[in-house]
Amino acid sequence: MLAPLAPEVITLGCRLNIAESETIRGFLGSRDVVVVNSCAVTNEAVKATRAAIRRARRRRPGAEIVVTGCAATIDPAGFAGMAEVDRIVGNPDKLAPGHWGAPDLPTTVRFEGHARALVEVQNGCDHRCTFCAIPFGRGPSRSVPAGAVVGRIAELVDAGHNEVVLTGVDLTSYGHDLPGSPTLGHLVERILKLVPGLPRLRLSSLDGIEIDDRLFDLLTAEARVMPHVHLSLQAGDDMILKRMKRRHTRAQSVALVGRLKAKRPEIAIGADIIAGFPTEDEAMFANSAALIADCDIVHAHVFPYSPRADTPAARMPQVAPPVVKDRAARLRAAAEAHRTRWLETLVGTEQRVLVEAPGDRGRAENFAEIRLAPTPFALSLSKGCPSSDEEQDRASTSSARTGDVVSATITRTADNELIGTFA
């Protein structure tokens, strides 16, 4: 008799989903089940979720297929109607052990085999950007108490993790619902103080208008907070920002980046930018495209606008789909060219790299992707077997384990990434 297949969790979308999937994995025991943790940020994400469900059923015809996440929460009837789906678990219930057929289980450290661990500190959103359906799937903003966050991070550090990423739907809104209304800056300070063994703390997407002086100082002066700030910009034209119901202006974004880089020049800026938002004309698009240089965006996430049902933007005059596609392609090309120029400035530098599987690549503190070339000694060994125990030991140290932090000297660029050797 064949052994039962191990449970499987398929994750689509954001880092918050990844963090939640690791918790769900701990509730599944040894059952023959596939959980699809869905995304609804765009129509393409919903299509990708449906495709993942169909592939899972073809691969594992006897498994229970359970769908959770934002897409399943926003449209439960639509996903329940798929022949491949056995059960829906909405976002409000996804982290409750009983909904996975498991008893309450003790907290288990997850992310084994992953370079960085993701920790959810906030969920939901109280804002209503006109393009966004996520609040329908995630509900109002709510924060995880600092004590629980610190305890979770301490467990992960004790388990060997060298980098933790704080995640949330609207991360910079952290704390307004907690006693004393602490801010994200307060939380970061507490983590750094109470978990001194944590070498690297990274923050996921931030709303620039909510970066206060405390958080700004941590981002620019604290070495253990990584020099990588991902901003939820969405557009670079003031009229489009107003129609999106964003709370910042173009000038505020440019000024914020200028202040960040003046205080900590090595900070790498990432940003989300939407191409083809309703009513966007060519001049408005040009303002967004110029934002890549004006804000020195080297980690750009470009999205073609996708009308989501029941959102105000879906009722606005739409840009023709071919134009949206063309503008997204032009934005991506501009972003890639700017990123390439930035990567070239890093050649010859030494970078601290968090090694990712399978051990020959990783991310620098500024989140640049680095491919670790084998050392000359390792290359010589690849031509034959080591002749002694000493040589075998030296060969094993020519690469690193997933999750290690190593120094690498950057020698060149290739395929939009850096090439480095162990320093």
Side-chain angles (χ1 to χ4, degrees):
M1 179 180 295
L2 294 175
L5 294 174
E8 179 181 359
V9 182
I10 299 168
T11 308
L12 297 100
C14 64
R15 287 175 171 172
L16 183 58
N17 257 11
I18 297 172
E20 292 173 339
S21 287
E22 288 299 306
T23 300
I24 292 169
R25 198 184 309 275
F27 297 150
L28 299 179
S30 58
R31 298 159 51 215
D32 188 6
V33 59
V34 178
V35 176
V36 179
N37 197 358
S38 65
C39 178
V41 69
T42 63
N43 288 329
E44 287 303 312
V46 176
K47 290 178 184 176
T49 294
R50 292 183 179 276
I53 292 168
R54 295 187 183 103
R55 287 195 299 270
R57 177 56 75 203
R58 289 195 296 270
R59 285 188 295 102
R60 298 181 61 166
E64 179 188 18
I65 305 292
V66 185
V67 186
T68 188
C70 288
T73 302
I74 293 171
D75 183 20
F79 282 92
M82 294 181 66
E84 298 86 356
V85 175
D86 295 303
R87 192 157 57 93
I88 301 293
V89 175
N91 272 339
D93 300 320
K94 72 192 298 186
L95 300 185
H99 287 280
W100 302 104
D104 289 342
L105 299 177
T107 301
T108 302
V109 175
R110 306 298 302 176
F111 294 101
E112 293 91 342
H114 292 268
R116 59 186 54 81
L118 309 180
V119 174
E120 176 181 334
V121 305
Q122 184 275 339
N123 206 329
C125 186
D126 292 336
H127 309 300
R128 292 296 181 266
C129 296
T130 60
F131 56 84
C132 187
I134 298 305
F136 304 145
R138 289 285 183 176
S141 178
R142 53 210 184 273
S143 310
V144 179
V149 174
V150 169
R152 171 70 169 148
I153 292 174
E155 289 179 347
L156 290 164
V157 170
D158 287 345
H161 288 283
N162 286 315
E163 181 172 311
V164 167
V165 184
L166 302 186
T167 68
V169 174
D170 184 22
L171 187 61
T172 35
S173 71
Y174 176 86
H176 71 93
D177 55 326
L178 296 176
S181 299
T183 64
L184 181 61
H186 287 111
L187 176 65
V188 171
E189 284 180 338
R190 191 165 179 180
I191 292 167
L192 295 174
K193 178 181 179 181
L194 298 179
V195 194
L198 173 66
R200 295 165 59 134
L201 180 66
R202 197 179 297 275
L203 308 183
S204 60
S205 184
L206 305 176
D207 190 339
I209 203 69
E210 292 185 333
I211 296 178
D212 60 12
D213 289 345
R214 175 176 269 103
L215 183 57
F216 180 89
D217 289 344
L218 289 162
L219 291 169
T220 56
E222 175 52 64
R224 293 161 63 201
V225 176
M226 295 296 94
H228 167 223
V229 177
H230 190 91
L231 298 172
S232 178
L233 298 183
Q234 309 305 345
D237 180 85
D238 283 342
M239 182 56 71
I240 293 298
L241 288 167
K242 183 176 180 179
R243 289 169 179 165
M244 288 177 166
K245 207 176 177 181
R246 299 294 295 167
R247 296 175 295 153
H248 65 270
T249 65
R250 186 187 206 281
Q252 287 172 323
S253 296
V254 174
L256 171 63
V257 171
R259 288 176 58 224
L260 287 166
K261 294 186 77 67
K263 189 83 177 288
R264 193 177 186 183
E266 70 271 25
I267 281 182
I269 303 298
D272 302 319
I273 306 177
I274 296 174
F277 186 81
T279 77
E280 181 187 76
D281 60 22
E282 192 64 23
M284 294 169 176
F285 167 74
N287 284 335
S288 285
L291 198 67
I292 291 169
D294 292 345
C295 284
D296 197 13
I297 298 168
V298 296
H299 300 296
H301 292 176
V302 174
F303 301 89
Y305 170 74
S306 178
R308 306 298 289 122
D310 300 321
T311 60
R315 300 189 292 272
M316 297 178 184
Q318 303 291 301
V319 177
V323 176
V324 174
K325 183 177 180 181
D326 174 69
R327 289 178 182 169
R330 289 158 60 192
L331 265 180
R332 290 187 181 114
E336 183 171 345
H338 192 80
R339 174 182 170 84
T340 297
R341 289 191 291 272
W342 171 65
L343 291 175
E344 289 170 350
T345 69
L346 298 175
V347 174
T349 65
E350 186 172 313
Q351 300 290 326
R352 295 288 289 166
V353 182
L354 181 75
V355 178
E356 300 175 356
D360 62 348
R361 63 183 54 247
R363 296 276 184 173
E365 293 181 347
N366 58 22
F367 212 59
E369 188 171 5
I370 298 174
R371 182 149 44 93
L372 297 165
T375 62
F377 180 76
L379 284 173
S380 69
L381 289 178
S382 69
K383 299 176 182 178
C385 296
S387 58
S388 69
D389 290 343
E390 180 181 356
E391 286 183 332
Q392 290 178 11
D393 290 340
R394 291 171 65 192
S396 68
T397 59
S398 66
S399 62
R401 298 171 301 174
T402 298
D404 284 351
V405 177
V406 302
S407 292
T409 300
I410 307 305
T411 58
R412 61 189 175 91
T413 66
D415 301 324
N416 211 23
E417 64 182 5
L418 297 171
I419 309 299
T421 58
F422 291 100

